[in-house]
Amino acid sequence: MITIQGKGVSAGIGIGPLYYYRRVTTTITRREVEDTDAEWQRFKDAQATAIEQLGVLAEKAREEAGDEAAMLFETHQMMAEDLDYEEAIEASIKEEKLNAEASVSDVAAQFAEMFASMDDAYMQARAADVRDVSSRILGILSGVVQGGIASDEPVLLASDDLAPSETIQLDKSKILGFITSGGSGSSHTAILARTMGIPAIVGVGDVFKPEYEGRTVAVDGSTGAVVIDPDEETLDHMLKLREEQLNLQKMLEELRGQPNITKDGKSVRVYCNIGSPEDVAAVLKNDGGGIGLFRSEFLYLNSKTYPTEDEQFEAYKKVLSDMDGREVVIRTCDVGADKQIDYFDLPKEENPAMGMRALRISLSRPDFFRTQLRALYRASAFGKLGIMFPMVTSVWEVREAKKMCERVKSELKEEGIPYSEQVEIGIMIETPAAVFVSDRLAKEVDFFSCGTNDLTQYTLACDRQNNDLGRFYDPHHPALLRALKIVADNAHKNGCWIGICGELGADLKLTETFLAIGIDELSVSPSAVLPLRNAIRSVDTRESADRILSELANDYQAL
C-alpha cells in the first residue's frame, strides 16, 4: 500500500483503477509556402472551426457545470480571434512565408512566454489558455482529434493538469475522480470537478510511476489522500465513507421544502449566486430561497460590445419573473482586476486588483452606469429587486451611486415607464476600508453583502490568484472573522440586514460561527443549498453563541 498526500479540492470518495490521461501530440513541420493567401485562408478556416467547437463546449459546460464553467470556453473563443494574436500569425505567414502550423506554434510560444513573464497572476494564467487555444487550432490544421479515455470501465484519471476543453470533453460516466500533479483549488480542473460533483485531488507532484497504471486506487477528495493498492482495512474504511456520503445525500433530499431554522428557532435566508438567467433553473431545482448575487458582469463578458439597455432589461426581467416574487439581488457590473474585457479599453495597471474596477468604473463612466441602472429599475416592475454596488471603500461613493439611482428613477417617471419604489440598495463589503466605516455606510443602505473572496485577499494582503501562497491565504483567519463581526454589529445597529455571498458562505465549518456573529443571509452555489440547510438545522445558537463570540474576542487562533 502506497499513500500519497495531495490537496483535496472536490469532495467525494473514488475507488477504481488508475489511468493516465494521454494527449495526442501534434508534430509541427516547418516549411516555406509560396501561396501565402491560401495559407492564410487555411488558418482562418481552422480558426473559425475552433471558435465553433469552443461554442459547442461552452454550451456543454453550461448544461453540466453552470455559467462560470461556460465562461472559460467563451474566453477561449475571444482569445482565438484576438486581434494581436491573429495579426502576429498573419505576419508570420505573409511576411516570413511560414506554413500555418509553424506560424501558430511560434506565436503561441511567444504569447505564452509573454503572459508567463508578467507579474500579475491572472495574466500569468492566460499562458495556459493561449496554449490550449493554439493546440486546438493546430489539431484542426493537422487533422488530429484529441482523445478521451480508452477504457471500458470507469477510472481515476491522473494527469499533470487538464485544460478546461480536455475536462469538459471527457466521458463523465468513465470518471471516478481526478488526480493531478499540479494545479490548485482555483484551477480549471478543480472548478469543473466541484461543479460536476466529481472527487478531485491536485498538487500530488511527480510521484506517479508508469507501473502504477491499472492498479486499484482510492481517493478522498475531502482530505486529499490518495492510496494505491489499499489494504483491506483502508478499503473498508473508504467504502464506509462513500456509503455515508450517499446516505447523507439521500437525507439532504428530504430537506427540500423545509425551513432554514436553527434548533432554537433562528431563521436564516439561504439564497444562491448565479451568473446568467439560465442559472435560475438550478436555483429552483435546489430549493434556493432567492438570489443573493446575480453577477451582472457576465452579460458584459459574454458580449463583444457593451450590452444595450434593452438587452440588459430582458435579462434582468427574465430572472425576476422566473423567481416569481422571491428576492433577487443584482450586483452592478464588477469588471476589472481578474475580469478584463477588451472593449472596456481599461488602462494597463501594475496592480489591477487595486485599480480601476467595479464601482470605480461605473462612477467614472456615468453614461455606462446610467444604462445599467435604467435596465435594472425597468426590470424591478417584474419582481422583488435589490441593487448592490461592488468594491465600496467610502461613503461618498455610495452617495454618488444613489444620486444616479434617483436620476434614473426621475427619468423613468417622466417617460411613463413603470418601476418599483421598493428596490433595496446594498453594497458589497470586501475591503478593510468598508469594514472600518461600516457604521457610517449602514446609514446609507438597506443591506450589506460580504464578498469574502476579496475581503480575505485585501485583509491578509494575499493575492487570491496566486496559487503559491498556500496556507498564507487563510479564509478562517481570526482577523477576517472579527471583521465580519464588526460589520454585522454595525449593520444591525442601523437597521440593515447582512449576508455573505463569497465562497465562505458554503463553508460548513463556519456556519455555526456565522450564525453566532449575526449573519442573516448566506448566498451560495445552488448545489450547496441543501447541505447548508442541514448544517443550519443542526445548530443551537443558545449553546454556541457565547462560546464563539468569546473565542473571537480573545483571538482564538484555532478558528
Side-chain angles (χ1 to χ4, degrees):
M1 185 172 76
I2 303 168
T3 301
I4 299 166
Q5 188 62 45
K7 180 179 180 180
V9 294
S10 181
I13 302 294
I15 302 171
L18 184 68
Y19 183 91
Y20 294 130
Y21 182 77
R22 292 174 175 80
R23 293 182 176 86
V24 178
T25 56
T26 304
T27 302
I28 304 300
T29 57
R30 305 179 69 85
R31 56 186 175 82
E32 186 175 313
V33 294
E34 293 185 7
D35 190 345
T36 56
D37 288 337
E39 197 66 12
W40 170 243
Q41 190 58 49
R42 279 188 69 227
F43 165 75
K44 292 296 290 180
D45 291 344
Q47 179 193 41
T49 301
I51 291 169
E52 182 180 351
Q53 289 178 356
L54 288 164
V56 172
L57 287 174
E59 289 309 308
K60 190 171 188 289
R62 182 170 282 110
E63 291 173 8
E64 295 184 3
D67 202 71
E68 287 191 67
M71 195 186 78
L72 298 173
F73 300 100
E74 289 162 346
T75 301
H76 281 197
Q77 280 183 303
M78 290 188 285
M79 186 167 285
E81 53 186 345
D82 177 80
L83 190 59
D84 292 337
Y85 176 75
E86 191 176 290
E87 286 179 350
I89 292 171
E90 184 177 17
S92 179
I93 292 173
K94 293 189 174 181
E95 296 174 17
E96 299 179 33
K97 296 189 175 183
L98 270 178
N99 61 315
E101 290 88 344
S103 297
V104 172
S105 179
D106 289 353
V107 171
Q110 173 193 338
F111 273 57
E113 183 179 356
M114 176 185 69
F115 284 129
S117 65
M118 292 182 179
D119 292 333
D120 180 55
Y122 173 81
M123 299 308 294
Q124 290 171 359
R126 303 287 69 76
D129 291 338
V130 76
R131 282 193 288 263
D132 192 29
V133 169
S134 301
S135 177
R136 176 172 296 279
I137 295 173
L138 284 170
I140 294 166
L141 285 167
S142 307
V144 173
V145 179
Q146 290 293 337
I149 301 174
S151 172
D152 294 329
E153 62 178 326
V155 297
L156 285 158
L157 192 65
S159 176
D160 52 353
D161 200 359
L162 292 166
S165 57
E166 292 173 330
T167 308
I168 207 69
Q169 289 178 101
L170 293 169
D171 181 351
K172 306 308 176 299
S173 67
K174 292 184 177 179
I175 305 291
L176 299 170
F178 292 113
I179 310 167
T180 64
S181 58
S184 69
S186 58
S187 68
H188 295 321
T189 304
I191 293 168
L192 290 171
R194 284 194 294 270
T195 52
M196 292 184 292
I198 298 173
I201 295 173
V202 302
V204 298
D206 299 324
V207 294
F208 284 123
K209 300 177 181 178
E211 57 265 30
Y212 291 167
E213 184 162 44
R215 288 159 72 168
T216 298
V217 174
V219 300
D220 185 340
S222 298
T223 65
V226 180
V227 184
I228 300 170
D229 294 331
D231 57 26
E232 189 172 338
E233 182 181 352
T234 302
L235 191 58
D236 286 344
H237 174 67
M238 289 288 205
L239 288 169
K240 183 180 178 182
L241 285 178
R242 185 167 67 178
E243 185 65 24
E244 288 174 356
Q245 290 176 352
L246 292 172
N247 290 337
L248 175 61
Q249 190 58 45
K250 290 178 183 176
M251 183 270 289
L252 292 177
E253 291 298 319
E254 297 175 2
L255 291 178
R256 290 186 184 279
Q258 298 298 311
N260 308 302
I261 298 179
T262 63
K263 288 181 176 179
D264 54 316
K266 181 175 181 177
S267 180
V268 183
R269 285 178 277 182
V270 177
Y271 287 0
C272 294
N273 302 331
I274 68 168
S276 79
E278 290 74 22
D279 292 341
V280 171
V283 176
L284 299 175
K285 178 182 176 183
N286 288 277
D287 210 20
I291 292 171
L293 171 62
F294 176 12
R295 303 179 180 94
S296 70
E297 58 270 16
F298 282 99
L299 299 178
Y300 298 82
L301 287 161
N302 293 336
S303 176
K304 293 184 178 180
T305 187
Y306 293 101
T308 65
E309 178 184 322
D310 284 343
E311 288 171 339
Q312 293 187 63
F313 163 69
E314 291 297 337
Y316 305 146
K317 173 186 172 183
K318 177 172 174 52
V319 173
L320 285 159
S321 299
D322 289 352
M323 287 301 290
D324 194 24
R326 302 186 193 191
E327 189 166 16
V328 175
V329 175
I330 300 178
R331 179 174 70 189
T332 57
C333 187
D334 186 11
V335 299
D338 60 338
K339 295 187 284 280
Q340 297 287 329
I341 303 177
D342 288 343
Y343 62 79
F344 270 69
D345 197 25
L346 296 172
K348 286 284 184 182
E349 298 175 305
E350 288 296 322
N351 192 347
M354 296 187 183
M356 186 57 70
R357 58 175 299 195
L359 185 60
R360 294 170 180 175
I361 294 175
S362 296
L363 294 178
S364 300
R365 303 182 182 190
D367 289 341
F368 157 77
F369 194 27
R370 173 176 165 271
T371 297
Q372 181 170 31
L373 289 177
R374 281 181 60 91
L376 285 166
Y377 274 102
R378 285 172 59 192
S380 70
F382 297 87
K384 186 178 181 182
L385 174 67
I387 297 175
M388 180 162 66
F389 304 126
M391 193 64 184
V392 168
T393 60
S394 303
V395 171
W396 73 262
E397 297 168 348
V398 179
R399 289 177 177 167
E400 286 293 313
K402 286 167 63 181
K403 285 180 186 177
M404 182 64 81
C405 290
E406 292 303 314
R407 174 185 166 190
V408 163
K409 287 161 64 176
S410 295
E411 289 177 0
L412 295 177
K413 188 176 291 186
E414 288 178 10
E415 296 167 21
I417 298 174
Y419 67 90
S420 172
E421 290 283 3
Q422 306 305 314
V423 174
E424 286 194 318
I425 298 296
I427 61 170
M428 297 277 288
I429 301 291
E430 47 193 339
T431 66
V435 172
F436 293 129
V437 296
S438 56
D439 56 335
R440 295 178 60 197
L441 290 169
K443 299 182 190 324
E444 302 289 335
V445 297
D446 301 301
F447 67 91
F448 289 155
S449 188
C450 301
T452 52
N453 300 346
D454 268 334
L455 186 57
T456 303
Q457 168 175 253
Y458 295 129
T459 300
L460 301 184
C462 276
D463 183 354
R464 57 187 280 201
Q465 301 291 328
N466 188 338
N467 298 329
D468 296 329
L469 288 173
R471 61 180 178 169
F472 298 105
Y473 184 87
D474 176 15
H476 290 202
H477 196 290
L480 181 67
L481 299 177
R482 282 182 168 190
L484 294 174
K485 178 66 168 64
I486 291 169
V487 175
D489 287 346
N490 285 330
H492 293 150
K493 286 176 187 175
N494 292 280
C496 287
W497 61 265
I498 177 173
I500 290 177
C501 63
E503 287 185 22
L504 278 191
D507 189 335
L508 303 184
K509 295 176 184 175
L510 289 175
T511 303
E512 190 175 40
T513 299
F514 291 150
L515 299 184
I517 285 172
I519 300 299
D520 304 301
E521 175 249 17
L522 295 165
S523 191
V524 297
S525 64
S527 61
V529 168
L530 295 180
L532 181 55
R533 177 172 298 162
N534 182 53
I536 290 169
R537 291 168 65 90
S538 67
V539 169
D540 188 331
T541 58
R542 292 170 302 190
E543 298 176 356
S544 60
D546 289 344
R547 171 180 54 82
I548 290 172
L549 294 179
S550 175
E551 290 167 353
L552 282 175
N554 292 312
D555 199 13
Y556 184 57
Q557 292 294 335
L559 285 173

